[in-house]
Amino acid sequence: MKSMFPSEHDIYLFHQGNLFHSYRIMGAHVTREDDVPGTRFTVWAPQAQAVYVVGSFNAWQAEEHRMQRIEASGIWTLFIPEVGQGTVYKYQIHSPSGAKLLKSDPY
């Protein structure tokens, strides 16, 4: 099983306002997980009911790439294999009212 990213300590510092290098964790990062190349997406959306990554790699269809909420942190994360640098994407955030909002990555 893969370790969850970001770490519990990162989440603690983020909520304390002391994660001074949050850009290293939040946003999109090309990486390898379990020897598979891809991109790790991480975003803070505390009121969201669901968050998806949509882009050119999935024909802008949200159902394929639902992010995982890290407990009660409001942070959502997902690793997508074979997505590389320069890929066009946005987050589709499902609000408590049921609205589906496309948002650019703040990082």
Side-chain angles (χ1 to χ4, degrees), residues 10-76:
D10 294 331
I11 293 168
Y12 172 79
L13 291 175
F14 179 78
H15 286 293
Q16 294 296 314
N18 293 320
L19 187 61
F20 300 120
H21 300 286
S22 61
Y23 61 88
R24 292 181 182 167
I25 294 164
M26 305 300 280
H29 297 275
V30 176
T31 188
R32 295 181 76 82
E33 293 192 13
D34 295 333
D35 269 342
V36 177
T39 299
R40 164 73 54 188
F41 297 88
T42 306
V43 67
W44 186 59
Q47 301 301 316
Q49 298 301 305
V51 181
Y52 298 83
V53 181
V54 297
S56 56
F57 53 89
N58 64 7
W60 299 92
Q61 300 302 306
E63 294 74 27
E64 288 187 47
H65 296 104
R66 183 181 178 129
M67 299 181 81
Q68 299 171 347
R69 186 179 183 129
I70 302 174
E71 300 176 18
S73 69
I75 297 173
W76 299 76

Side-chain angles (χ1 to χ4, degrees), residues 79-94:
F79 176 77
I80 303 178
E82 306 303 326
V83 171
Q85 187 171 349
T87 301
V88 178
Y89 72 95
K90 287 190 176 189
Y91 297 110
Q92 185 181 90
I93 298 174
H94 294 207

